Amino acid sequence: MPVLGFAVRVRLAWGLAGVALALVAGTALAALAGTRDGLAVEGRDWLLAVVCAPLGARVATHAARNACGWLVLAVGVLGAATVATSAAGGPAAGWLREWLWWPGYGLLVLVVLLFPDGRPAGRTGRVAVAATTVATAAGTVALAALALRAPRDYLAAGAPVRPSWDTTTILVSMGVVLVAAVFAVVSLGWRAVRSRPARRGVLVAGAANAALLLTAFVLDTVEGVPLVWLGGALAIPLATAIGVVRYGLYDIDLLVHRALVSGLSTLTLIITYAATVALVAGHVPAGVGPIAAAVTVVALLPLRQGIDNALRRLLYGLGADPYALTTLLGTRVGHARTPEEVLAAAAGVIGAGLKSPYVAVHSGDREPAEAVHGRPRDWPVTSLPLIHQGRPVGRLIVQQRAPDEPWSRRERALMRHLVAQLAPAAASVNLTRDLQAARERLVRAREEELRRLQRDLHDGVGPLLSGTRMLARAARGGDTADLLTRIEGNLADAAGEVRRIVDGLRPPALDHGLAPALTHAVDRHRASGLDARLTVEGELTELPAAVEVAVYRVVDEALTNVVKHAGAGTAHVRVRRSGDDLCLSVSDDGTGGVRERPDGVGVASMRQRCEELGGSFTVTALSPGTRLSATIPLS
């Protein structure tokens, strides 16, 4: 049912199961109250209603896109409706009872054809599914039509009826369903032989129970063997139960185990209470028996509480004991050696502690999860943001234990505490990644700079020096005046190349300090018609060389962008030394050209220069104009 929302599907499945069980319960109460003298309904329909309705609802909610669960649920609803007609009087109820049992057989065969993943096996399987569907529908219509003209209870009494189109259709439909059932058994067996060992078990169980269904169908139809309906009614539920409990089919083995454990524990408590009270009452005088029994019950309350706590931890994990879970998380996080191990340990602890089928920790905005526990199922997840120092650093994804079992308020509060413990680790992972990325950028920049130096020296200074050497050798035996002139020119060109390379390594304007260099940069851009001003607050001496280069390059690039793209008339550069930080801003009254090009090369270069030194860089829109702001630590 992919067209329905998840919550609607869950409510629909359990609503149908509830209606089916309510019909069965109402019919049973009517029989016990004596309002009906016997119920004209077979035990098969009772069994199908009681077994298939809740089982189908459970499978449908866990695997909503798998048709098997919905088909089993439909079988249970049809069985309950057939049972309910036995408690209702009148011709209409009798007519319904004569044909309402038939669609269940066809639906059970469809379940076998689609078992276990809800898809037919190949083209032949699709043909078999289509044929079974048509045969089931046609047989239902024909049987309903036959029930209108045939005597009441003609099936049970064996009363003869005149052949017509409906009888022919019924026979053909039964033959098609029978052939489809044979094909389903063979198909499951063949798929089991060819499948992987991990999947073979559930297919073998399905094939064996499909054979049981086929045998029961044939014997019940042809020979009428007593109690054979029991095998037919239980065949598909039994195959599903084996697949769930033994092979984890449909991901509901956890709930089945929880139900079994809870039921056995409750039964154990009842037997313990009863045996203890009986033992005490049998060894005290009759007059004080009730008092002794009451005292015994009170004395056993700690035992009951202990069993209840152990049961809750077994069924719901350490989430039943928030202190134990948070302590375990802190211990695992403390023993992890790297941030990645921290996140992996946290995902494992939270998944196992809350019995969640899937837990994922995402760091930053990265879509691939940093750490994963389990695998995602097709039902809702809870996404919790990881906040560290007021900033989001990632998110925690936790999937609820079952599609129809949302987290309680206490569990949500527990997850918020777990998120608070996990956020610093996620922030550490982000910081580690950022540092690694910055280190890689630095290495790449260094290698690129070395390559540029190599190319400049090889292509520029190298040829000039080689030519000069050859000219000097030629001057030994020729016209020295002309050769010396050419040597002098080559040396001048080489000196220019060396000067250009040196200027590329560090701006020469910084040789006299940062403040004079900034003044020179502002004056140079003022010559292009921009009314640029510079304000320096504090001493800009004894600064790290990297900081001087970064500030100079940022200011120069910012003014270049203002001249080229902003169309501004004025610009103001402000540099201020504040404690251990150097703050600078460049504001203009232009059209906001820099803000409109946030991913441009210039802005990206300025941001990278600041962040590589551990600083920050922001672009703010003014009215009019733009302001670039940067803060660079000095230590």
Side-chain angles (χ1 to χ4, degrees):
M1 286 190 160
V3 296
L4 298 179
F6 177 81
V8 176
R9 295 199 302 261
V10 171
R11 287 194 292 268
L12 176 62
W14 283 114
L16 291 174
V19 169
L21 295 178
L23 289 175
V24 172
T27 305
L29 290 176
L32 292 175
T35 59
R36 298 290 298 170
D37 296 332
L39 298 177
V41 64
E42 296 187 16
R44 174 192 62 241
D45 301 304
W46 288 87
L47 193 59
L48 286 175
V50 173
V51 175
C52 290
L55 179 61
R58 176 57 71 187
V59 174
T61 54
H62 276 70
R65 291 181 174 83
N66 190 320
C68 293
W70 295 100
L71 291 173
V72 172
L73 176 59
V75 171
V77 172
L78 288 172
T82 305
V83 169
T85 59
S86 64
W95 173 71
L96 288 173
R97 188 167 57 251
E98 293 297 329
W99 62 267
L100 202 56
W101 59 273
W102 160 252
Y105 274 116
L107 294 182
L108 287 175
V109 174
L110 279 176
V111 173
V112 178
L113 289 170
L114 298 174
F115 188 82
D117 50 13
R119 295 189 299 270
R123 181 181 302 176
T124 308
R126 289 192 292 271
V127 173
V129 168
T132 305
T133 304
V134 173
T136 301
T140 302
V141 173
L143 197 60
L146 178 62
L148 287 175
R149 67 183 183 87
R152 186 176 181 182
D153 295 332
Y154 70 96
L155 290 177
V161 294
R162 179 174 51 85
S164 182
W165 69 270
D166 46 18
T167 56
T168 303
T169 303
I170 293 172
L171 291 176
V172 172
S173 299
M174 293 178 63
V176 171
V177 172
L178 180 61
V179 172
V182 174
F183 170 78
V185 174
V186 175
S187 175
L188 281 173
W190 178 246
R191 288 161 59 192
V193 172
R194 300 184 59 186
S195 64
R196 302 186 308 271
R199 185 176 171 83
R200 186 172 301 152
V202 67
L203 293 175
V204 170
N209 285 278
L212 176 62
L213 173 65
L214 175 63
T215 303
F217 178 74
V218 172
L219 293 178
D220 191 29
T221 303
V222 178
E223 296 294 337
V225 178
L227 296 180
V228 73
W229 55 266
L230 188 63
L234 291 179
I236 301 307
L238 184 60
T240 305
I242 293 174
V244 167
V245 177
R246 177 64 179 85
Y247 301 104
L249 189 63
Y250 306 129
D251 297 321
I252 60 176
D253 51 328
L254 173 63
L255 292 180
V256 173
H257 292 160
R258 284 168 51 188
L260 292 176
V261 171
S262 180
L264 291 175
S265 300
T266 302
L267 181 62
T268 302
L269 281 174
I270 293 175
I271 294 175
T272 302
Y273 269 107
T276 306
V277 170
L279 182 63
V280 172
H283 291 78
V284 297
V288 296
I291 299 176
V295 171
T296 303
V297 170
V298 173
L300 289 176
L301 284 179
L303 174 62
R304 177 189 177 281
Q305 185 64 37
I307 295 177
D308 184 64
N309 291 337
L311 182 62
R312 285 175 58 85
R313 290 190 62 168
L314 179 63
L315 299 181
Y316 299 99
L318 290 177
D321 188 353
Y323 177 77
L325 182 55
T326 54
T327 301
L328 179 61
L329 179 61
T331 303
R332 294 286 179 84
V333 168
H335 284 85
R337 293 174 294 180
T338 64
E340 290 78 5
E341 291 182 3
V342 169
L343 298 184
V349 169
I350 294 174
L354 295 176
K355 296 290 185 180
S356 172
Y358 176 70
V359 174
V361 182
H362 292 262
S363 179
D365 296 330
R366 298 178 180 88
E367 186 56 35
E370 296 287 342
V372 173
H373 171 81
R375 60 182 179 87
R377 308 299 201 269
D378 188 22
W379 60 73
V381 298
T382 300
S383 179
L384 300 169
L386 302 176
I387 307 296
H388 181 65
Q389 295 180 348
R391 296 186 305 163
V393 295
R395 65 188 189 277
L396 173 67
I397 305 296
V398 184
Q399 193 160 48
Q400 60 192 46
R401 284 182 287 265
D404 50 355
E405 187 180 343
W407 299 114
S408 65
R409 182 179 303 177
R410 180 183 58 81
E411 289 170 331
R412 289 183 176 273
L414 172 60
M415 283 190 281
R416 286 194 292 269
H417 287 294
L418 299 176
V419 162
Q421 288 185 263
L422 192 56
S428 177
V429 170
N430 291 343
L431 181 59
T432 302
R433 293 286 174 82
D434 293 341
L435 290 176
Q436 180 65 25
R439 186 182 302 111
E440 292 174 357
R441 288 196 302 268
L442 181 61
V443 171
R444 286 195 298 268
R446 183 189 66 190
E447 294 301 324
E448 289 296 328
E449 187 65 18
L450 291 175
R451 182 184 302 174
R452 184 184 68 83
L453 287 174
Q454 180 190 36
R455 184 174 58 250
D456 291 346
L457 291 173
H458 181 272
D459 299 339
V461 179
L464 289 172
L465 294 178
S466 297
T468 302
R469 185 184 63 181
M470 288 188 293
L471 289 174
R473 182 182 302 168
R476 295 177 182 175
D479 185 4
T480 59
D482 181 59
L483 293 176
L484 289 175
T485 300
R486 293 171 64 184
I487 290 173
E488 182 182 5
N490 285 353
L491 291 176
D493 292 342
E497 282 292 316
V498 172
R499 188 179 304 110
R500 183 182 64 81
I501 295 173
V502 171
D503 291 347
L505 296 176
R506 175 179 169 85
L510 291 173
D511 293 341
H512 304 288
L514 179 59
L518 294 177
T519 301
H520 179 268
V522 170
D523 292 342
R524 177 159 44 83
H525 288 286
R526 188 184 293 121
S528 62
L530 178 67
D531 182 12
R533 293 175 295 158
L534 172 65
T535 301
V536 177
E537 300 176 9
E539 293 292 333
L540 300 185
T541 58
E542 298 181 358
L543 298 177
V547 174
E548 289 183 337
V549 173
V551 172
Y552 178 81
R553 296 294 191 193
V554 168
V555 171
D556 188 47
E557 181 65 31
L559 292 177
T560 300
N561 281 344
V562 171
V563 173
K564 289 184 177 180
H565 308 292
T570 62
H572 187 193
V573 180
R574 179 180 287 107
V575 181
R576 176 172 56 89
R577 184 170 185 170
S578 175
D580 294 333
D581 294 328
L582 189 67
C583 305
L584 69 93
S585 65
V586 180
S587 55
D588 64 78
D589 61 353
T591 59
V594 174
R595 177 174 56 85
E596 294 171 1
R597 301 172 63 254
D599 296 326
V601 176
V603 174
S605 175
M606 289 185 280
R607 178 177 287 108
Q608 181 176 341
R609 288 182 183 277
C610 296
E611 291 179 351
E612 284 179 347
L613 296 176
S616 61
F617 180 87
T618 57
V619 180
T620 306
L622 303 177
S623 184
T626 305
R627 176 187 294 121
L628 307 181
S629 303
T631 300
I632 302 176
L634 300 178
S635 59

